[in-house]
């Protein structure tokens, strides 16, 4: 017994079933669209998977030397700092400063004395024009330290002894302005001026000096990595791929 074939249904299915040729055309069109989309995201030998921007991080160690005045007397200081840099636009860290001031003030014990001291604290520094070779910044130090007088007429073999009672504690705020020059990604030079504001100090025996306020200028160097940022959404295309 031969099967009964409904030719009308058969012809409808045949006419609406895609041929192999049309299927190949559809696959080629799909492949072309995929390659075109991938090429739109590709630039400079990188494939960028999205447009999200990462924060650029940096860290460094810095050393600077300054010359200025305290109570119109010549003052020499050096500073050491360690800081974190966010987006090459803002620094936050710690700075420590030591100084020597050629006061030669006459005390009640009839000895000429010079002033020494140290202070340190929080370092903050907003940076302008951070994408340029030369930047402008406004550092500020907020911290505390101690100062003391030493005898200036000692022989070379004499030992300088400063008792704990000779030290006077002091609070310091020191704003400034710097010009920064970026040699490369790892080295930066700075030059600028700053002014030191301090709380009152009272020495025994009495001296005219009551504050260590004063202006200073100097130069320094920073060594570290100022741009550790990498776009984790970009992948380097290997040669031959």
């Amino acid at each position: 017994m031969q099967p009964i074939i409904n030719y009308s249904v058969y012809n409808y299915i045949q006419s609406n079933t895609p041929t192999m040729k049309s299927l190949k055309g559809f696959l080629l069109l799909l492949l072309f669209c995929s390659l075109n989309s991938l090429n739109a995201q590709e630039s400079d030998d990188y494939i960028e998977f999205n447009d999200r921007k990462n924060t650029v991080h940096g860290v460094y160690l810095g050393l600077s030397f300054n010359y200025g005045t305290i109570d119109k007397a010549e003052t020499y200081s050096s500073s050491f700092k360690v800081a974190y840099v966010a987006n090459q636009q803002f620094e936050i860290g710690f700075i420590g400063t030591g100084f020597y001031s050629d006061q030669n003030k006459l005390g009640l014990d009839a000895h000429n004395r010079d002033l020494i001291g140290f202070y340190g604290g929080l370092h903050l520094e907003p940076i302008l024009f951070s994408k340029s070779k030369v930047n402008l910044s406004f550092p500020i130090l907020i911290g505390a330290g101690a100062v003391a007088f030493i005898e200036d007429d000692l022989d070379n073999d004499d030992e300088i002894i400063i008792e704990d009672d000779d030290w006077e504690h002091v609070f310091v705020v020191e704003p400034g302005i710097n010009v920064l020059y970026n040699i490369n990604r790892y080295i930066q030079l700075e030059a600028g001026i700053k002014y030191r504001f301090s709380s009152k100090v009272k020495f025994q025996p009495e001296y005219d000096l009551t504050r260590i306020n004063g202006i200073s200028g100097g130069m320094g160097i920073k060594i570290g990595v100022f741009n550790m940022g990498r776009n984790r959404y970009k992948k380097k295309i290997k040669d031959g791929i």
Side-chain angles (χ1 to χ4, degrees):
M1 183 176 181
Q2 294 181 347
I4 300 174
I5 300 175
N6 190 331
Y7 287 98
S8 60
V9 175
Y10 175 78
N11 291 333
Y12 176 80
I13 294 175
Q14 286 290 97
S15 61
N16 289 275
T17 301
T19 63
M20 184 63 68
K21 184 180 295 185
S22 61
L23 182 60
K24 289 181 178 179
F26 174 75
L27 292 176
L28 288 175
L29 179 61
L30 181 62
L31 178 62
F32 174 78
C33 293
S34 299
L35 291 175
N36 187 58
S37 175
L38 181 63
N39 185 61
Q41 293 182 342
E42 181 180 348
S43 62
D44 298 331
D45 294 333
Y46 283 89
I47 297 177
E48 185 170 344
F49 296 93
N50 67 17
D51 59 355
R52 181 175 175 178
K53 295 182 179 180
N54 297 331
T55 299
V56 177
H57 305 284
V59 291
Y60 73 85
L61 299 176
L63 182 65
S64 62
F65 300 92
N66 299 276
Y67 171 81
T69 61
I70 293 179
D71 196 25
K72 300 181 181 179
E74 292 184 338
T75 302
Y76 307 89
S77 65
S78 61
S79 298
F80 175 82
K81 59 184 171 181
V82 54
Y84 161 77
V85 188
N87 260 351
Q88 298 177 293
Q89 296 177 345
F90 187 80
E91 295 183 8
I92 180 170
F94 173 83
I95 184 170
T97 299
F99 68 88
Y100 165 82
S101 182
D102 189 13
Q103 293 286 317
N104 286 326
K105 286 189 174 293
L106 187 64
L108 297 181
D109 55 358
H111 287 291
N112 288 329
R113 298 198 170 194
D114 290 334
L115 185 69
I116 63 170
F118 61 90
Y119 54 89
L122 180 66
H123 164 73
L124 303 173
E125 186 169 0
I127 303 170
L128 303 181
F129 317 115
S130 59
K131 304 303 179 182
S132 304
K133 195 76 172 179
V134 179
N135 316 138
L136 185 66
S137 68
F138 300 90
I140 183 171
L141 180 156
I142 304 173
V147 294
F149 276 106
I150 61 173
E151 293 186 12
D152 189 39
D153 54 358
L154 298 175
D155 295 331
N156 293 334
D157 296 333
D158 291 341
E159 182 180 359
I160 299 176
I161 300 176
I162 304 177
E163 302 292 342
D164 292 341
D165 294 340
D166 296 332
W167 290 101
E168 288 293 320
H169 299 291
V170 63
F171 178 78
V172 175
V173 176
E174 192 172 50
I177 180 170
N178 279 345
V179 175
L180 310 175
Y181 178 72
N182 300 283
I183 296 179
N184 53 40
R185 183 183 170 197
Y186 308 101
I187 301 176
Q188 186 181 80
L189 299 179
E190 63 177 354
I193 58 174
K194 54 189 176 180
Y195 192 89
R196 178 178 49 254
F197 298 93
S198 81
S199 59
K200 286 187 176 182
V201 291
K202 185 177 182 180
F203 295 100
Q204 298 294 336
E206 294 289 344
Y207 290 92
D208 295 336
L209 183 67
T210 58
R211 297 180 187 271
I212 61 168
N213 295 355
I215 191 171
S216 62
M219 298 184 64
I221 184 171
K222 302 176 181 178
I223 299 177
V225 182
F226 295 91
N227 180 3
M228 293 192 297
R230 289 290 184 270
N231 192 341
R232 61 175 178 265
Y233 299 98
K234 281 188 176 183
K235 183 177 181 181
K236 180 74 174 180
I237 300 178
K238 296 181 180 178
D239 296 337
I241 296 180

